[in-house]
Amino acid sequence: MSMLNTETPAQDHARLDQYPTLDLVSVFIDDQTRAVDAVRAAAPRIAAAVAAALPRMEAGGRLIYAGAGTSGRLGLLDSVELNPTFSWPHGRAVALLAGGAEAMFVAVEGAEDDLEQGAADLESVGVGPDDVVLLLAASGHTPYVLGALRAARAAGALTIGFSNNADAPVADGAEIGITLDTGPEVISGSTRLKAGTSQKIALNTFSSALMVRLNKVYGNLMVDFRATNAKLVRRAVRLTMYATGVGEASAQAVLEECGYHVKTAIVALIKQTTVEQAQALLASAHGSVREAIA
């Protein structure tokens, strides 16, 4: 039986258990650099995925992540972080994990073999043609993810498949396939290592680039968040001061008026308008600070 690349033992580390501890640690660290290389090689496919996802998000669609094991947990992590970073609505970032929510904390290994459950889970969230479904499987053969892929395609959703093996069904069967060719793992088959790292980088890159295109960023400033704790209040004040050149007191005053929404404060201060007028300018500019102040 032929072995997947991610399952093949790494020939250059056959005596791994005998390495001195510093060498052992160095090997794990050095091997992670291949994750970056793999994502860099996939950059054109990731860019294509961003471009294809954008009109669906502008039409009100959702990002739906479907995965198992490490891949599924990374998808859930990416989905959860979109709200505090970009004010992306919770209901528009849905994560499906083989084995259910408890699999985030306790491995439910057999759940990934259930093709029908993958399809059923996706259907249960009412997937539709405006949605973007991200299918995550290091092996590229995980039945749960393939079931979700089948249901997503039947519903007309945009499907983006992430795999760490070439010619894998998850990537080949998706509308846009992204292969992150990380090769054999230092510990054979343990895709929580550089395969998982590459998926984290790829998901982070995809979702962050998509949020930039959705006008969640001004310049390279994180401006579309709401300050819900003391740290974020300080961040909101600093970003507003940086973007507008005003002093701390002026930034603080306007931020208090608009519920510490940095976008609104920046437009109000630069255009010298009321908070209400700034909100109207942003609405007419589809949330773009740059267009609102032009």
Side-chain angles (χ1 to χ4, degrees):
M1 180 184 295
S2 61
M3 297 183 73
L4 297 172
N5 217 12
T6 50
E7 302 289 336
T8 303
Q11 297 301 313
D12 47 352
H13 298 299
R15 299 171 66 86
L16 184 72
D17 59 339
Q18 296 179 304
Y19 287 4
T21 302
L22 179 57
D23 291 345
L24 180 64
V25 169
S26 297
V27 162
F28 280 118
I29 293 170
D30 292 344
D31 199 53
Q32 292 287 337
T33 62
R34 295 189 61 180
V36 178
D37 295 338
V39 180
R40 186 178 289 116
R45 302 298 294 162
I46 297 172
V50 172
L54 181 60
R56 285 174 165 85
M57 295 301 99
E58 291 174 333
R62 298 169 295 170
L63 292 172
I64 302 176
Y65 302 72
T70 297
S71 299
R73 294 182 192 102
L74 290 169
L76 192 152
L77 178 64
D78 199 70
S79 74
V80 167
E81 292 180 342
L82 293 179
N83 178 264
T85 309
F86 301 111
S87 293
W88 189 248
H90 290 293
R92 294 183 65 191
V94 179
L96 303 174
L97 184 58
E102 66 184 62
M104 186 67 188
F105 306 101
V106 179
V108 186
E109 298 296 351
E112 71 176 49
D113 295 330
D114 197 334
L115 182 99
E116 296 305 323
Q117 191 62 53
D121 284 356
L122 199 69
E123 290 165 355
S124 74
V125 298
V127 61
D130 285 335
D131 293 328
V132 175
V133 181
L134 307 172
L135 301 133
L136 312 166
S139 72
H141 293 258
T142 307
Y144 178 89
V145 181
L146 292 173
L149 170 59
R150 182 184 70 190
R153 296 217 65 159
L158 172 66
T159 52
I160 304 171
F162 294 80
S163 169
N164 294 87
N165 287 299
D167 303 317
V170 164
D172 288 352
E175 190 170 336
I176 298 175
I178 297 173
T179 299
L180 307 169
D181 188 7
T182 45
E185 297 286 3
V186 172
I187 298 176
S188 60
S190 182
T191 50
R192 64 181 288 271
L193 299 174
K194 65 176 177 288
T197 300
S198 71
Q199 290 189 1
K200 174 70 168 75
I201 298 170
L203 285 172
N204 202 313
T205 299
F206 167 80
S207 61
S208 297
L210 182 59
M211 293 298 135
V212 172
R213 287 287 167 260
L214 288 166
N215 300 318
K216 300 289 186 178
V217 174
Y218 172 51
N220 67 340
L221 304 181
M222 174 180 158
V223 295
D224 202 358
F225 70 96
R226 292 191 181 275
T228 55
N229 59 37
K231 177 189 74 175
L232 292 177
V233 166
R234 292 192 295 270
R235 179 181 297 167
V237 172
R238 288 195 303 269
L239 287 171
T240 302
M241 292 170 62
Y242 183 87
T244 63
V246 304
E248 182 175 351
S250 297
Q252 182 83 40
V254 175
L255 283 165
E256 287 178 0
E257 283 187 56
C258 63
Y260 284 88
H261 189 219
V262 178
K263 265 189 176 185
T264 303
I266 290 173
V267 174
L269 286 164
I270 290 179
K271 297 290 286 183
Q272 296 185 324
T273 66
T274 66
V275 163
E276 290 76 16
Q277 289 170 323
Q279 290 168 335
L281 285 169
L282 280 167
S284 65
H286 305 289
S288 168
V289 172
R290 195 170 297 281
E291 288 186 27
I293 64 177

